[in-house]
Structure formats: C-alpha cells, structure tokens
Amino acid sequence: MAKKLVIKVTAGADAPERCSQAFTVAAVAVASGVDVSVWLTGESAWFAVPGRAAGFELPHAAPLPDLLDSILAGGRVTLCTQCAARRDLTEQDVIEGVRIAGAQVFVQEALADDTQALVY
C-alpha cells in the first residue's frame, strides 16, 4: 500500500457524487493513518472558501464540512493557483490551513516515492 495519497478533486456541485467520493476517500485515508494531500481544482476550488462546503448536499453522503475538517486536521489541502486566480481567490479568502500552489508542486507530490495519485 502506498504510504502517501494525493487526490486531485476536479468536481464540485456540478458533479456531486464524484466530489463526495473524493472527499470521502481522502477522509478515510487520513483516519487510516495515510499521509494525504488533497488538491482542489475546477469547481471544487470553491470549497477552499469558508462556509462554501456547508452549501453542498448529497443524499446518503457524509456532510462535506465534516469531511473537509477531518482532512485539514490530519492531511493537507491545496487550492490550485490558476483555479484560485480564475475565481479571484487569494490566501486571505481561503480557510485557514489551505495553501495555494501550482502544477509544479502537484507533480512533485504525485511523483514522490511510495505515492498513489487519484483524480476525481
């Protein structure tokens, strides 16, 4: 089993099941002791903004704010630089603990030894 898990989330409210699956897998991995890095891209970028996850609903799914909190508590959450810029988001606009970084950092994380990368 990979010791590190990098998950790129490309979906938000536009594809709720895919979005929820990504956050659920990340939260379960964190709870299992895996080193987890979640990347928010595309429509999921909005979940880096305080309060935005609370507006996400999917029947029979764990609440997105709870999943995000557990990921932040034990893993890393990164907002894509370009995705942030397209939405006029800066470090001051995002949840404490969310960093903004670009493709070079994503590639570095995804290609590290003992790492599994998933894209949702």
Side-chain angles (χ1 to χ4, degrees):
M1 181 165 100
K3 295 180 182 166
K4 300 174 193 166
L5 182 60
V6 177
I7 298 177
K8 180 180 260 193
V9 189
T10 63
D14 59 326
E17 286 186 293
R18 192 162 26 112
C19 176
S20 181
Q21 289 169 0
F23 281 93
T24 300
V25 167
V28 168
V30 166
S32 299
V34 177
D35 180 2
V36 176
S37 177
V38 172
W39 283 73
L40 304 177
T41 67
E43 286 303 302
S44 73
W46 291 114
F47 299 130
V49 176
R52 292 299 287 262
F56 180 89
E57 292 185 18
L58 181 64
H60 310 291
L64 194 60
D66 295 348
L67 295 172
L68 183 55
D69 286 347
S70 68
I71 296 164
L72 283 166
R76 288 176 307 287
V77 177
T78 305
L79 172 59
C80 160
T81 301
Q82 290 181 16
C83 300
R86 280 189 282 275
R87 290 159 180 82
D88 294 320
L89 299 175
T90 67
E91 294 281 347
Q92 292 76 29
D93 299 311
V94 301
I95 298 167
E96 185 177 337
V98 173
R99 69 177 175 167
I100 297 176
Q104 179 182 5
V105 177
F106 174 78
V107 169
Q108 188 176 32
E109 283 188 15
L111 295 179
D113 290 339
D114 296 321
T115 300
Q116 173 68 51
L118 303 174
V119 178
Y120 286 88

